[in-house]
């Protein structure tokens, strides 16, 4: 299964296999892989363990940059024809924006707008959070809504969209 250059959005639930599939898309591009981590480890041991697991799975051939907030700027700076970038993940990025009190809609629009003209392979991973029950608190509902609108906007501009469930990718676009 060969995938051409361009941009892809990989959606799925927790532990669906979306990150592993996204890594495959990047590796199959045949160019230098760059992993962009949006997670903040701080004092969260469970998150630190997840990050370590992902690093171990990827192996030594990857460069890694941690960027929890300034994702648009990083992609603008790093995107190149000879590079494949994996962003994991957009939902953690949205969470970081919310926690910093940033204008989430504006930052999402900025990311979508910048993404259109960037060179090279860019694969963006995100959790599909809108398939469950309506959250009981306002912040969780706002998060779900921000993520859902971002996914729709991304889906409109990227070349490929995949949904991963049970480790199996379903191609929705491209």
């Amino acid at each position: 299964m060969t995938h051409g250059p361009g941009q892809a959005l990989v959606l799925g639930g927790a532990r669906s296999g979306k990150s592993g599939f996204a890594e495959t898309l990047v590796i199959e591009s045949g160019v230098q892989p760059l992993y962009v981590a949006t997670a903040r480890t701080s004092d969260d041991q469970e998150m630190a363990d997840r990050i370590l697991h992902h690093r171990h799975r990827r192996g030594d051939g990857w460069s890694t940059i941690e960027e929890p907030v300034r994702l648009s700027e990083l992609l603008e700076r790093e995107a190149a024809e000879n590079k494949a970038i994996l962003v994991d993940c957009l939902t953690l990025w949205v969470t970081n924006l919310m926690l910093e009190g940033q204008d989430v809609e504006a930052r999402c629009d900025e990311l979508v707008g910048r993404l259109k003209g960037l060179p090279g392979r860019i694969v963006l991973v995100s959790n599909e959070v809108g398939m469950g029950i309506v959250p009981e608190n306002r912040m969780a509902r706002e998060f779900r809504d921000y993520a859902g609108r971002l996914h729709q906007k991304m889906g409109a501009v990227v070349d490929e969209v995949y949904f991963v469930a049970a480790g199996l990718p379903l191609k929705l676009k491209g």
Side-chain angles (χ1 to χ4, degrees), residues 41-157:
T41 55
S42 62
D43 295 325
D44 186 342
Q45 186 58 48
E46 188 256 345
M47 181 59 81
D49 291 343
R50 285 176 187 246
I51 291 169
L52 195 60
H53 171 75
H54 277 231
R55 274 196 183 139
H56 179 70
R57 184 181 64 213
R58 284 192 309 272
D60 295 333
W62 292 70
S63 300
T64 301
I65 298 176
E66 296 177 6
E67 181 47 69
V69 176
R70 292 175 188 81
L71 186 56
S72 299
E73 296 89 334
L74 180 136
L75 290 175
E76 183 89 28
R77 186 176 64 248
E78 295 291 333
E81 289 297 333
N82 63 344
K83 194 182 292 184
I85 300 173
L86 171 58
V87 175
D88 199 354
C89 80
L90 293 177
T91 40
L92 285 174
W93 177 69
V94 167
T95 299
N96 296 336
L97 294 176
M98 289 178 72
L99 292 174
E100 287 202 358
Q102 296 210 17
D103 183 337
V104 178
E105 289 290 342
R107 295 301 304 265
C108 289
D109 288 346
E110 175 188 26
L111 177 62
V112 171
R114 282 192 183 180
L115 191 63
K116 294 180 202 179
L118 296 178
R121 180 73 159 149
I122 300 174
V123 179
L124 304 122
V125 175
S126 199
N127 291 289
E128 181 51 66
V129 295
M131 298 176 75
I133 60 172
V134 175
E136 69 177 47
N137 70 73
R138 181 178 178 192
M139 184 177 183
R141 286 190 301 274
E142 287 176 352
F143 168 75
R144 177 210 52 199
D145 293 349
Y146 286 137
R149 286 191 293 270
L150 175 59
H151 294 163
Q152 289 181 53
K153 292 171 185 176
M154 281 285 176
V157 301

Side-chain angles (χ1 to χ4, degrees), residues 10-23 57 164-169:
V10 178
L11 300 169
R15 311 273 87 43
S16 64
K18 64 189 175 300
S19 293
F21 175 71
E23 290 166 12
R57 184 181 64 213
V164 180
L168 302 171

